[in-house]
């Protein structure tokens, strides 16, 4: 049992690790003392001058381990050879958590956003920003078919990436089904729904599901929803950008929680 608990703790530690890349993004994070850093990775081919020199000095000042790699090995770490610029940074994000932790410690009340097929990193970053600013307690983000947390997401979130829990899971249907068993109400956003946000009484434990703009909520996820709701729109407008929709949900009055 002890070995199993140790393994799970270690597993979650590494799963909460996010690798960012790119010189500007890495330097920005090194300047933020609130972010825990695991290791800095540098390509051996980098010239020790300018921004690389600053990054190295800042990492040493913070006591961060610096690892040097061949360019090909560095690209495998960053998973973005075209944009890593020979720099990657492993950070520990306590707000990036397994959805299992949400199930193990059930909320008495809360409001979550579940993202189904959101591929655009700018949209993901803006959704995180609105959710962090509004009445949202966390985001469900599947590993499959979704944008990854990246420098583009960090930039679009305008510094809010680590202010709100992001619960990762393999796929949404399974986790949504378990949340239903725990008493959560699941609402899919759909322009074809009869019920609207204006008429909806928001339960104490609610998950709003957002699909991508071209296809909406997928069939498998829609099957897990208790109901579909729409945002009433005027002048023949059919849909909104998904990040705008998330902002409207984030700022539903707290009194309705």
């Amino acid at each position: 049992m002890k070995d199993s608990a140790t393994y799970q703790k270690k597993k979650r530690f590494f799963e909460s690790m996010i690798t960012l890349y790119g010189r500007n993004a890495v330097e920005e994070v090194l300047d933020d003392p609130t972010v825990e850093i695991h290791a800095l990775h540098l390509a051996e081919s980098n010239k020790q001058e300018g921004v690389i020199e600053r990054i190295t000095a800042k990492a040493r000042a913070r006591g961060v381990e610096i690892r040097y790699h061949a360019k090909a090995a560095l690209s495998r770490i960053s998973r973005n050879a075209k944009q890593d610029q020979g720099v990657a940074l492993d950070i520990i994000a306590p707000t990036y958590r397994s959805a299992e932790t949400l199930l193990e410690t059930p909320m008495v009340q809360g409001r979550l956003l579940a993202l189904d097929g959101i591929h655009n990193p700018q949209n993901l970053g803006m959704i995180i920003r609105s959710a962090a600013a509004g009445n949202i307690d966390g985001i469900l983000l599947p590993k499959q078919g979704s944008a990854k947390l990246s420098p583009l997401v960090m930039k679009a979130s305008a510094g809010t990436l680590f202010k709100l829990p992001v619960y990762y899971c393999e796929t949404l249907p399974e986790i949504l089904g378990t949340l239903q068993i725990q008493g959560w109400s699941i609402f899919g956003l759909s322009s074809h729904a009869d019920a609207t946000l204006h008429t909806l009484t928001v339960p104490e434990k609610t998950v709003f599901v957002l699909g991508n703009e071209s296809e909406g909520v997928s069939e498998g996820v829609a099957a897990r929803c208790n109901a579909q709701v729409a945002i009433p729109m005027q002048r023949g407008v059919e849909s909104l950008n998904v990040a705008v929709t998330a902002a409207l949900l984030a700022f539903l009055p707290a009194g309705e929680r």
Side-chain angles (χ1 to χ4, degrees):
M1 291 295 291
K2 183 177 180 181
D3 289 343
S4 176
T6 301
Y7 168 77
Q8 289 299 326
K9 184 178 180 180
K10 186 175 181 179
K11 180 172 180 285
R12 287 183 177 175
F13 172 82
F14 283 104
E15 286 180 337
S16 71
M17 188 180 297
I18 300 172
T19 300
L20 300 176
Y21 53 82
R23 298 180 181 189
N24 290 338
V26 166
E27 186 174 19
E28 182 181 336
V29 173
L30 283 168
D31 285 335
D32 186 346
T34 66
V35 179
E36 183 182 353
I37 300 172
H38 182 66
L40 170 66
H41 304 275
L42 297 173
E44 294 169 338
S45 57
N46 289 331
K47 293 182 179 180
Q48 289 298 316
E49 59 186 25
V51 66
I52 294 296
E53 192 172 30
R54 293 199 305 271
I55 286 172
T56 304
K58 290 176 180 181
R60 286 174 177 158
R62 291 188 58 170
V64 174
E65 180 183 359
I66 302 174
R67 303 174 185 173
Y68 292 91
H69 309 269
K71 187 66 176 72
L74 189 282
S75 296
R76 286 194 294 272
I77 293 169
S78 71
R79 298 183 182 179
N80 196 325
K82 293 182 179 180
Q83 297 180 330
D84 65 33
Q85 300 176 306
V87 179
L89 191 71
D90 294 330
I91 65 173
I92 306 302
T95 55
Y96 186 57
R97 310 168 183 171
S98 168
E100 294 297 323
T101 63
L102 182 63
L103 303 178
E104 292 167 0
T105 310
M107 294 182 183
V108 176
Q109 65 176 26
R111 197 175 288 182
L112 304 174
L113 291 182
L115 307 184
D116 182 24
I118 307 303
H119 304 111
N120 187 298
Q122 283 87 359
N123 278 339
L124 177 56
M126 289 188 288
I127 289 169
I128 291 172
R129 182 180 184 183
S130 293
N135 301 311
I136 299 297
D137 300 295
I139 291 174
L140 287 169
L141 184 68
K143 288 184 176 181
Q144 300 179 25
S146 295
K148 311 301 181 189
L149 297 185
S150 68
L152 290 175
V153 174
M154 185 173 71
K155 182 177 180 180
S157 76
T160 63
L161 180 58
F162 309 119
K163 294 183 182 296
L164 182 80
V166 175
Y167 298 100
Y168 60 83
C169 56
E170 293 301 322
T171 60
L172 280 179
E174 183 176 0
I175 192 71
L176 291 177
T178 306
L179 288 173
Q180 279 182 320
I181 294 172
Q182 291 189 351
W184 290 79
S185 297
I186 319 293
F187 295 99
L189 271 290
S190 170
S191 59
H192 306 296
D194 294 325
T196 72
L197 287 184
H198 290 174
T199 60
L200 178 67
T201 299
V202 183
E204 287 189 343
K205 296 167 69 172
T206 296
V207 181
F208 289 111
V209 183
L210 298 176
N212 66 43
E213 293 171 63
S214 58
E215 300 176 6
V217 177
S218 63
E219 283 188 23
V221 173
R224 294 293 188 181
C225 294
N226 297 91
Q228 303 287 328
V229 292
I231 296 172
M233 289 181 280
Q234 309 300 320
R235 302 175 183 85
V237 177
E238 294 183 357
S239 65
L240 297 172
N241 174 276
V242 67
V244 174
T245 301
L248 293 175
L249 295 170
F251 288 95
L252 283 175
E256 296 181 11
R257 299 186 66 170

